[in-house]
């Protein structure tokens, strides 16, 4: 075990988390967590592997064997490993001071160093993220990205059972996984530890927010911008001001927000937050279907993009862009077109909102406004403007901000399912799919895409399936469009442009 500890200490020194002079102090802190002293070090097992994740796994396995964990589950081991890395994570005040000193030189330098530090302390799970399976598929909308998410561990059945026995707490602390109080939190059963989390304070729209990186990134420098106040997600005129204020501080990043309504929103709607990062998505390079103008905003360019979801692009000076986006939001939230199936409300239930994405490009501010509507009916219980049920075998979850940008985050189950299905297709045993409990949900889809197809070998089948998953994702996005990429959809959109007070160029 001492070799595990020495390897971890060497890693910390190499990555500038501690200095050589800190070695004994850090070593004793690790001993305390592991409940060991000098008399028992020599009888502990030697390390298996040299990678940081292997060393942490060895130490958490030892802690589990010794009964130091609340339960021997994946998340309890994970929390213990985070506590170990917390030993090497400096105080928040030092991280903030470093960030703002760097920012005076360059915003990019500040984020570069903060990103590197977040990876070094293992808050960003670089090795777990590397397990994800990612590829791109050429489509009429550009190169769509897809990733099978293997980084986040699935819920442990033992832990689910233990959680069911826990008494309900009326006043939880922290209130949710995004609250500022998570910084340094030791975690609990079913709730991740955050000793290695560090947050950077921001002012957006005159209010207090903070910035951090996502531990399980889906794209380069995937970050989260969070309100210091625990309040529900809400897309308002203030949202656009906040997004553009962020770009003023960090023009090399994009930033966006999930919609604020169920079925079309993100997975966390109880705490207002945005997502940002440094990555070029397919949406960034989407072509223009048509341009239009609004006389009230003479300095602003407006366009409808050739994109599976209905997206209006607003581009121009900062203040004018924010006002123009607010104008479109206000009209959309009250807009009805029964012939197109669009109703803004049913009784007190509101249906219409926006998924916004903002960038700073070539000296101008730009906001993409994805028009969303979550109305349901008897024929469409999951949403009239949502993923068609025929594609739920690929992805059933909401089409959130990341998907709107053109990146499909797919469930981990797909990796094995597609491997098994590829093997059956290659052996001309498609009918066996409907006999398998784990594969039968894919049978109708596989039958449809494989009709009339012949394949030379397994590799060809695997490539075909990946391409078809990409096409299914695009079709899912098209199902979310309130104004389809069709002649009829264009005519419906023109009615909305007139309602905005606009004219087509």
């Amino acid at each position: 075990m001492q070799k595990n500890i020495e390897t971890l200490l060497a890693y910390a020194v190499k990555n500038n988390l501690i200095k050589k002079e800190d070695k004994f102090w850090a070593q004793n802190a690790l001993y305390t967590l592991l409940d060991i002293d000098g008399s028992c070090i020599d009888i502990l097992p030697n390390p298996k592997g040299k990678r940081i994740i292997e060393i942490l796994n060895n130490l958490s396995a030892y802690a589990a064997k010794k009964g130091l964990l609340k339960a021997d589950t994946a998340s309890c081991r994970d929390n213990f490993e985070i506590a170990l890395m917390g030993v090497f994570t400096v105080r928040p005040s030092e991280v903030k001071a470093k960030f703002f000193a760097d920012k005076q030189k360059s915003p990019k330098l500040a984020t570069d160093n903060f990103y590197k530090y977040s990876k070094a302390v293992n808050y960003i799970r670089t090795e777990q993220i590397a397990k994800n399976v990612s590829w791109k598929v050429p489509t009429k909308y550009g190169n769509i990205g897809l990733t099978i998410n293997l980084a986040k561990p699935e819920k442990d059945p033992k832990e689910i059972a233990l959680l069911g026995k826990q008494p309900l707490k009326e006043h939880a602390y922290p209130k949710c996984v995004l609250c500022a109080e998570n910084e340094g939190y030791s975690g609990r059963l079913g709730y991740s530890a955050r000793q290695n989390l560090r947050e950077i304070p921001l002012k957006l729209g005159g209010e207090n927010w903070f910035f951090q990186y996502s531990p399980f990134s889906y794209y380069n420098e995937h970050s989260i911008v969070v309100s210091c106040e625990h309040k529900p997600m809400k897309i308002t005129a203030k949202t656009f001001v906040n997004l553009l204020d962020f770009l003023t501080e960090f023009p090399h990043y994009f930033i966006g927000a999930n919609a604020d309504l169920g079925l079309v929103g993100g997975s966390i709607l109880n705490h207002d937050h945005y997502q940002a990062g440094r990555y070029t998505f397919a949406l960034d390079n989407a072509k223009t279907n048509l341009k239009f103008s609004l006389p009230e905003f003479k300095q602003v360019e407006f366009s409808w993009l050739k994109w599976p979801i209905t997206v209006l692009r607003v581009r121009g000076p900062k203040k004018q862009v924010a006002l123009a986006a607010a104008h479109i939001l206000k009209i959309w939230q009250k807009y009805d077109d029964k012939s197109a199936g669009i109703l803004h409300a049913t009784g007190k239930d509101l249906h219409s909102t926006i998924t916004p994405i903002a960038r700073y490009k070539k000296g101008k501010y730009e906001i993409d406004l994805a028009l969303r509507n979550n109305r349901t009916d008897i024929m469409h219980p999951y949403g009239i403007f949502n993923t068609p049920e025929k594609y739920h075998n690929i992805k059933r979850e909401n089409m959130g901000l990341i998907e709107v940008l053109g990146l499909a985050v797919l469930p981990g189950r797909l990796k094995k399912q597609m491997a098994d299905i590829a093997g059956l297709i290659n052996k001309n045993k498609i009918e066996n799919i409907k006999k398998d409990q784990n594969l039968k949900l894919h049978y109708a889809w596989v039958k449809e895409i494989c009709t009339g197809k012949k394949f030379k070998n397994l590799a060809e089948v695997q490539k075909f399936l990946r391409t078809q998953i990409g096409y299914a994702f695009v079709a899912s996005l098209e199902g979310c469009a309130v104004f389809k990429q069709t002649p009829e959809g264009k005519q419906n959109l023109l009615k909305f442009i007139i309602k905005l007070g606009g004219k087509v160029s």
Side-chain angles (χ1 to χ4, degrees):
M1 183 59 69
Q2 182 61 23
K3 288 185 179 179
N4 278 295
I5 293 172
E6 288 175 357
T7 302
L8 191 56
L9 291 167
Y11 168 88
V13 172
K14 180 180 178 180
N15 286 274
N16 297 313
L17 301 179
I18 61 171
K19 293 182 169 58
K20 289 182 179 179
E21 294 85 351
D22 300 321
K23 178 183 175 182
F24 293 132
W25 166 82
Q27 181 172 265
N28 287 324
L30 295 174
Y31 285 172
T32 299
L33 285 171
L34 291 159
D35 192 28
I36 60 179
D37 57 42
S39 64
C40 63
I41 290 173
D42 293 336
I43 65 171
L44 298 174
N46 287 327
K48 298 176 182 178
K50 297 180 179 180
R51 291 161 43 230
I52 183 64
I53 190 66
E54 293 172 324
I55 298 302
L56 292 173
N57 288 169
N58 292 341
L59 293 172
S60 64
Y62 166 78
K65 187 175 181 180
K66 196 171 181 181
L68 300 178
L69 310 183
K70 293 178 181 177
D72 187 8
T73 65
S75 71
C76 284
R77 288 191 180 205
D78 190 55
N79 281 357
F80 188 80
E81 291 172 18
I82 292 170
L84 294 173
M85 293 308 299
V87 169
F88 306 109
T89 309
V90 299
R91 290 184 179 183
S93 57
E94 295 179 54
V95 174
K96 292 171 176 60
K98 166 67 173 168
F99 183 90
F100 288 111
D102 287 341
K103 189 171 179 291
Q104 286 187 329
K105 300 173 185 176
S106 161
K108 182 178 176 297
L109 176 66
T111 56
D112 282 351
N113 286 339
F114 184 44
Y115 185 62
K116 181 180 178 182
Y117 181 77
S118 297
K119 288 194 293 184
V121 296
N122 206 41
Y123 183 73
I124 298 174
R125 309 300 184 82
T126 307
E127 294 200 38
Q128 286 93 326
I129 293 166
K131 297 176 183 177
N132 291 344
V133 179
S134 300
W135 71 99
K136 290 189 176 183
V137 173
T139 73
K140 61 184 177 181
Y141 301 108
N143 291 327
I144 297 296
L146 302 105
T147 183
I148 296 178
N149 176 27
L150 301 171
K152 285 186 179 180
E154 293 186 21
K155 291 281 187 180
D156 188 317
K158 291 188 293 183
E159 185 167 301
I160 293 172
L162 288 168
L163 283 169
K165 299 176 183 178
Q166 296 291 307
L168 292 175
K169 294 183 179 180
E170 186 177 349
H171 304 291
Y173 176 90
K175 291 181 180 178
C176 79
V177 296
L178 293 181
C179 285
E181 292 85 352
N182 282 284
E183 189 174 45
Y185 183 59
S186 62
R188 57 179 182 267
L189 196 64
Y191 194 108
S192 183
R194 296 285 196 277
Q195 286 101 325
N196 55 352
L197 165 65
R198 293 297 178 262
E199 305 162 349
I200 303 299
L202 300 173
K203 279 282 186 183
L204 301 179
E207 297 178 348
N208 293 323
W209 290 67
F210 63 90
F211 165 86
Q212 66 182 61
Y213 285 107
S214 170
F216 298 103
S217 305
Y218 295 131
Y219 52 82
N220 187 49
E221 297 183 42
H222 184 176
S223 41
I224 307 172
V225 179
V226 188
S227 171
C228 287
E229 180 183 353
H230 180 81
K231 60 182 180 180
M233 289 283 296
K234 194 69 177 172
I235 303 297
T236 67
K238 189 66 178 293
T239 303
F240 308 126
V241 173
N242 291 347
L243 297 181
L244 298 184
D245 276 358
F246 179 86
L247 294 178
T248 300
E249 296 297 320
F250 306 100
H252 58 298
Y253 272 22
F254 81 89
I255 184 169
N258 274 303
D260 54 350
L261 297 178
L263 297 181
V264 297
S267 59
I268 302 177
L269 294 177
N270 65 343
H271 196 135
D272 206 4
H273 69 285
Y274 312 135
Q275 295 185 67
R278 183 158 46 160
Y279 188 77
T280 300
F281 294 90
L283 177 59
D284 295 41
N285 300 316
K287 296 179 180 178
T288 299
N289 266 338
L290 63 81
K291 296 181 179 180
F292 62 97
S293 60
L294 299 180
E296 188 179 345
F297 304 99
K298 297 185 184 300
Q299 295 177 283
V300 180
E301 306 163 27
F302 300 89
S303 57
W304 174 39
L305 301 182
K306 183 179 180 181
W307 193 247
I309 283 185
T310 306
V311 177
L312 303 181
R313 179 164 289 172
V314 182
R315 179 173 167 79
K318 181 179 179 180
K319 185 175 180 180
Q320 289 296 303
V321 165
L323 290 171
H327 171 71
I328 293 173
L329 173 66
K330 181 179 179 181
I331 300 300
W332 174 243
Q333 286 177 325
K334 298 290 185 181
Y335 184 73
D336 291 331
D337 183 351
K338 292 183 180 180
S339 66
I342 299 170
L343 297 177
H344 81 279
T346 302
K348 294 183 179 180
D349 294 331
L350 301 179
H351 298 311
S352 296
T353 185
I354 280 176
T355 301
I357 302 107
R359 311 174 196 84
Y360 183 77
K361 294 173 68 176
K362 298 179 180 179
K364 291 185 178 182
Y365 289 87
E366 181 177 282
I367 297 182
D368 286 347
L369 304 171
L371 306 183
R372 312 299 300 274
N373 184 284
N374 76 345
R375 190 167 77 88
T376 62
D377 61 18
I378 295 174
M379 296 295 293
H380 305 89
Y382 296 100
I384 296 169
F385 304 104
N386 212 332
T387 301
E389 287 186 56
K390 65 180 290 186
Y391 298 117
H392 280 185
N393 62 305
I394 302 298
K395 181 177 172 67
R396 188 173 178 174
E397 295 86 351
N398 296 348
M399 292 294 176
L401 168 67
I402 296 174
E403 286 77 18
V404 170
L405 284 160
L407 176 61
V409 179
L410 303 173
R413 61 176 170 81
L414 279 182
K415 182 181 179 182
K416 185 176 189 308
Q417 287 174 345
M418 289 303 121
D420 292 344
I421 287 171
L424 291 172
I425 294 173
N426 190 51
K427 295 176 182 177
N428 293 314
K429 294 182 178 180
I430 289 179
E431 294 304 313
N432 286 1
I433 293 173
K434 63 181 178 181
K435 300 175 184 177
D436 189 303
Q437 191 66 29
N438 294 318
L439 302 181
K440 64 181 182 180
L441 76 161
H442 296 290
Y443 175 72
W445 174 71
V446 173
K447 190 78 173 174
E448 178 183 338
I449 64 175
C450 287
T451 299
K453 300 285 185 182
K454 292 184 178 180
F455 304 97
K456 296 177 182 178
N457 50 49
L458 180 60
E460 190 175 279
V461 177
Q462 292 169 332
K463 182 179 179 181
F464 173 76
L465 283 177
R466 286 192 174 192
T467 299
Q468 291 299 318
I469 290 172
Y471 292 163
F473 172 61
V474 168
S476 299
L477 288 176
E478 289 175 330
C480 300
V482 292
F483 301 119
K484 310 297 185 187
Q485 296 283 331
T486 62
E488 183 183 3
K490 180 178 179 180
Q491 290 305 310
N492 290 332
L493 175 76
L494 291 175
K495 288 187 285 183
F496 179 64
I497 291 175
I498 291 171
K499 186 70 174 179
L500 292 173
K503 296 180 180 179
V504 177
S505 302

